[in-house]
Amino acid sequence: MDFFDRFAVPHPSVAIYASMAAIGLTVIAVIAGITYFKKWGYLWREWLTTVDHKRIGIMYLLSALLMLFRGGVDAIMMRAQLAVPENTLLDAQHYNEIFTTHGIVMILFMAMPFIMFFMNFVVPLQIGARDVAFPRLNALSFWLFFMGAMLFNISFVVGGSPDAGWTSYFPLAGNEFSTSVGTNYYMIAIQIAGIGTLMTGINFITTILKMRAPGMTLMKMPMFTWSALIANVIIVFAFPVLAVLLAMGTLDRQFGTQFFTMDNGGMDMLWANLFWVWGHPEVYILILPAFGIYSEIISTFARRNLYGYKSMVGSMVIISLLSFLVWAHHFFTMGQGALTNSIFSITTMAIAVPTGVKIFNWLLTLRKGKIVFTTPMLYSMLFIPLFTLGGVTGVMLAMSAADYQYHNTMFLVAHFHNVIIPGVVYAMLAGLHYYWPKMFGFMLNEKIGKWTAWLLSIGFVLAFMPMYASGLDGQARRMYTYSEAAGFGLLNMISFVGAAIMAIGFVLIVYNIYYSTRYESRDISNDPWDARTLEWSTHTPVPEYNFAILPEVRSNEALWDAKKNGHVLFKGEYEKIHMPNNSGIPFIMSCIFFVWGFSFIFSLWIPVIVTTLGIFGCMALRSFEQDHGRYISVKEIEETETNLRGA
């Protein structure tokens, strides 16, 4: 029994047992459904083995929505626990586990795949490419991310969740204070997912630099493609730091090294520094593509070109550089001295300048525009004031002397969510509405979409504005309860009501997808928004090869240029098109990584050795495999194009 005891949850509760039952029943239902409808072959051929960037993008989207639900449940539980003084809904241990998993799930397993969804689906179409540079690597990137996410999410029912905060600071994350395998899950699951993300960064830099359509110079790229390029450059520089950091943490916990200990030459602050050397650029990996999405939407629905194209590109480059020079503002209060604090305070304030440039560029794009208030545009309009408020409180936090009052209070929690929710989540929802017809051939219902946007915004203001006040009054973050005498009760109850309204908004998103799938018209054009960039010039649904003839580009708004100035995008005759073959190796290799990670977490060294050999075996198999892809004949292209025009 000692062998099986290690897999037990160290702090069981009714909720965890209910989750175990729910997960088990869901898995059984899914397997039974696929078997009943005889879809195993379809699933393997069309999805598990696909290397099509569009299908991989949709799988990123499904993963992001699943993790949004998981992270949202964590958030509601935290707000419910704090809604009244001395609440006993959660004990201290479970509250620690929930705020730890909430942070990781929302940032790494919800926001990141949402960004990757847009990069995968949109970027090749925007630059006039037929696929990404390395299609199999793209598939492996997704499956490694997915297996890392699934590994992290089984922790709360097998072995116990991490409980040292989403930053997992040492020595709290060391074996002395985190005795369960929860922090091992943190180290290994994020490592596996991070390898996939790093591969994505390399892939998309290569794709954007080497596979653009004829005539598309760097300064003729759409703004979202620019934002994706810069975000992937940040990934390539930042994620190796995370990989090394997690490896060092794993060595400390499982092999007795002393990198982050308080004695024997260790340095606990080394973890904090390296974490934020990765962690702050990570925020811009999320926000820059979101800015790119807003740029596309605002120019489309203002019916005019984006104001200040060059300054927008320049501001993103400056933000990417400064993002690596601000990390110490996360621990102004930890004793690095006045000079160091002053330097990082200045760099933190400086990064607000190029961000402000972008805000003014969007406002000047709207000026004299013929604005159409669609759901994507509504999210974009709500974003500007809400995000600006979050940015202003960021400048307040940048003042190192004042940060002694704000640090580790609910003020900081409010600021972070005030930036990420309007900045990233609204962009994801705006982009989801915007690109939904290109993905699925019908539009999401506009009326339900607008109701959702307003509900989320009302809920957001109610949920997070009171936290600024309670934080300034002294309510600490990560505090699982408080006395009635503290006086935080009313503010926290308002926050809970706001969180509940936001939850209703997210339920409406699901209902909108259901309603639109059943009732919305399929009779839409390839360009239902009257948009400006190349992704709207191809068919809906997009064929496997994206473009039968590669477009020739004259401006950064190639489709608008073609519509208004008569430029012919597609010249020449059909030619056979080379496409990559599907492959099961990425999926199989990622499954082996999952078993490897699980075995490593529980120190099962024989399975670790076997699965390591399996991973290298998959790499060797790919190295010696003779697979040069296939060609789509001119006849097949003509038939497909004829059918799509008829559709």
Side-chain angles (χ1 to χ4, degrees), residues 195-265:
I195 292 169
T197 302
L198 182 57
M199 290 176 178
T200 297
I202 296 166
N203 203 346
F204 275 88
I205 290 172
T206 310
T207 300
I208 294 169
L209 293 182
K210 304 297 289 184
M211 299 183 69
R212 300 190 305 279
M216 184 178 283
T217 62
L218 285 175
M219 294 310 290
K220 290 179 183 175
M221 294 196 309
M223 195 53 60
F224 177 71
T225 300
W226 259 115
S227 69
L229 174 62
I230 295 168
N232 281 293
V233 170
I234 299 175
I235 285 173
V236 168
F237 280 96
F239 267 77
V241 178
L242 178 66
V244 171
L245 179 68
L246 294 170
M248 292 166 71
T250 302
L251 289 170
D252 264 22
R253 285 188 55 83
Q254 296 189 257
F255 297 97
T257 57
Q258 306 281 327
F259 290 115
F260 307 120
T261 57
M262 300 288 283
D263 49 21
N264 296 323

Side-chain angles (χ1 to χ4, degrees), residues 582-597:
N582 285 0
S583 173
I585 291 178
F587 176 72
I588 293 168
M589 188 173 174
S590 65
C591 290
I592 298 172
F593 257 106
F594 181 91
V595 178
W596 177 87

Side-chain angles (χ1 to χ4, degrees), residues 174-496:
N175 288 327
E176 182 181 356
F177 299 108
S178 296
T179 55
S180 76
V181 296
T183 303
N184 293 356
Y185 271 108
Y186 178 102
M187 301 291 172
I188 301 300
I190 298 174
Q191 184 75 277
I192 293 170
I195 292 169
T197 302
L198 182 57
M199 290 176 178
T200 297
I202 296 166
N203 203 346
F204 275 88
I205 290 172
T206 310
T207 300
I208 294 169
L209 293 182
K210 304 297 289 184
M211 299 183 69
R212 300 190 305 279
M216 184 178 283
T217 62
L218 285 175
M219 294 310 290
K220 290 179 183 175
M221 294 196 309
M223 195 53 60
F224 177 71
T225 300
W226 259 115
S227 69
L229 174 62
I230 295 168
N232 281 293
V233 170
I234 299 175
I235 285 173
V236 168
F237 280 96
F239 267 77
V241 178
L242 178 66
V244 171
L245 179 68
L246 294 170
M248 292 166 71
T250 302
L251 289 170
D252 264 22
R253 285 188 55 83
Q254 296 189 257
F255 297 97
T257 57
Q258 306 281 327
F259 290 115
F260 307 120
T261 57
M262 300 288 283
D263 49 21
N264 296 323
M267 184 187 296
D268 56 325
M269 281 302 295
L270 179 61
W271 174 279
N273 276 274
L274 290 177
F275 181 90
W276 288 113
V277 166
W278 161 79
H280 203 85
E282 163 66 15
V283 174
Y284 292 98
I285 292 167
L286 300 177
I287 206 76
L288 288 179
F291 287 168
I293 290 169
Y294 286 130
S295 297
E296 301 293 344
I297 290 171
I298 289 172
S299 63
T300 294
F301 296 112
R303 300 294 185 237
R304 56 169 299 186
N305 62 303
L306 187 67
Y307 181 90
Y309 176 91
K310 291 181 180 179
S311 63
M312 290 289 264
V313 173
S315 65
M316 285 195 292
V317 172
I318 293 168
I319 287 170
S320 69
L321 295 172
L322 288 175
S323 71
F324 286 94
L325 302 176
V326 298
W327 78 88
H329 71 214
H330 292 276
F331 39 87
F332 277 145
T333 62
M334 294 187 188
Q336 63 260 39
L339 177 61
T340 302
N341 278 359
S342 298
I343 292 169
F344 281 96
S345 182
I346 291 167
T347 57
T348 304
M349 293 182 194
I351 208 167
V353 175
T355 308
V357 168
K358 303 183 83 60
I359 297 288
F360 282 110
N361 281 358
W362 289 318
L363 292 174
L364 289 167
T365 302
L366 294 168
R367 182 174 178 267
K368 296 185 179 180
K370 298 177 181 178
I371 299 171
V372 182
F373 267 101
T374 59
T375 300
M377 190 62 160
L378 179 58
Y379 276 113
S380 302
M381 294 298 94
L382 290 166
F383 146 75
I384 292 175
L386 293 175
F387 178 82
T388 302
L389 177 61
V392 170
T393 57
V395 175
M396 292 172 66
L397 286 157
M399 294 182 283
S400 55
D403 192 60
Y404 279 79
Q405 173 69 27
Y406 310 136
H407 188 68
N408 270 347
T409 69
M410 297 305 287
F411 187 95
L412 180 60
V413 175
H415 156 73
F416 183 76
H417 288 83
N418 205 164
V419 171
I420 293 297
I421 292 177
V424 178
V425 178
Y426 279 25
M428 302 303 98
L429 297 176
L432 184 64
H433 278 265
Y434 187 59
Y435 285 110
W436 189 273
K438 183 55 68 174
M439 288 188 290
F440 299 112
F442 62 93
M443 301 178 77
L444 290 174
N445 184 272
E446 280 287 288
K447 186 175 182 180
I448 301 173
K450 290 175 181 176
W451 268 100
T452 303
W454 283 113
L455 269 178
L456 287 176
S457 299
I458 293 166
F460 169 80
V461 171
L462 288 175
F464 294 102
M465 295 306 115
M467 292 186 194
Y468 285 119
S470 66
L472 290 175
D473 281 347
Q475 185 181 5
R477 65 193 299 200
R478 308 189 181 102
M479 187 169 68
Y480 88 102
T481 191
Y482 54 92
S483 68
E484 189 170 354
F488 304 139
L490 177 60
L491 293 171
N492 280 285
M493 177 55 76
I494 295 171
S495 287
F496 172 67

